[in-house]
Amino acid sequence: MHRPQLVAQARTALAEEPDPWSAFARFLRDALSAQGPGGPLLPVVGGRLPATDESMDAADRLRAALDDLVGGAHRAGVLRADFTSADIPILLEHLSARLPCAGERAAVFHLRYLDMVLAGLRSPGADRSSTLAGPAPHWTELRELWNAPEG
């Protein structure tokens, strides 16, 4: 995923969603879903890149778009005040860990845990009625994912 795609996702969410929280949540879902099963964001967003004029301009555009998302949510009082736009690349990196399961199930896990994070990012007093995406994992499923059969 490239910075221009993230900028476009942020700007689209801001333009199309009816409120700042919806725009913020949509951007995170779109960014997490668009990276595919094996594409962490950090090497592109926050990792080391050559400091060319082009890469610096792209980074500035991304920062401005993320600042707009977070700033709007802060002004609306729906996002906890201690969350910053700089948290977004690290958050997405954490939420995009590679999982040893099929792409569809991995996508469900990623979105489920994003919903949990979003619930925690809502500022106190904001509407907290939300449903997590997908069913919870079972310990048996996790054991099968991470433990190869003996043999």
Side-chain angles (χ1 to χ4, degrees):
M1 174 167 310
H2 300 287
R3 288 177 179 162
Q5 182 178 353
L6 290 171
V7 171
Q9 288 170 329
R11 295 292 175 209
T12 299
L14 285 164
E16 294 180 358
E17 291 301 320
D19 61 79
W21 180 258
S22 297
F24 177 73
R26 175 181 170 171
F27 167 76
L28 290 174
R29 283 190 185 93
D30 289 351
L32 191 61
S33 297
Q35 66 184 306
L41 290 170
L42 200 54
V44 174
V45 176
R48 293 207 174 270
L49 296 171
T52 64
D53 289 341
E54 182 180 10
S55 68
M56 298 305 286
D57 288 344
D60 289 344
R61 285 190 302 278
L62 178 59
R63 180 178 178 170
L66 298 181
D67 284 347
D68 289 346
L69 276 170
V70 170
H74 281 155
R75 286 187 297 280
V78 294
L79 179 63
R80 53 184 301 143
D82 57 353
F83 185 86
T84 72
S85 62
D87 285 313
I88 291 175
I90 303 299
L91 174 63
L92 289 172
E93 180 69 15
H94 281 280
L95 290 170
S96 65
R98 290 182 184 206
L99 301 174
C101 57
E104 183 72 25
R105 186 62 173 143
V108 169
F109 280 147
H110 290 307
L111 292 175
R112 176 181 174 76
Y113 292 101
L114 173 60
D115 283 347
M116 286 184 203
V117 168
L118 286 169
L121 289 174
R122 278 301 267 226
S123 64
D127 175 26
R128 294 195 179 257
S129 60
S130 64
T131 303
L132 296 175
H138 300 280
W139 284 107
T140 303
E141 181 179 20
L142 294 179
R143 187 173 39 249
E144 290 171 3
L145 292 176
W146 278 289
N147 298 310
E150 290 185 34

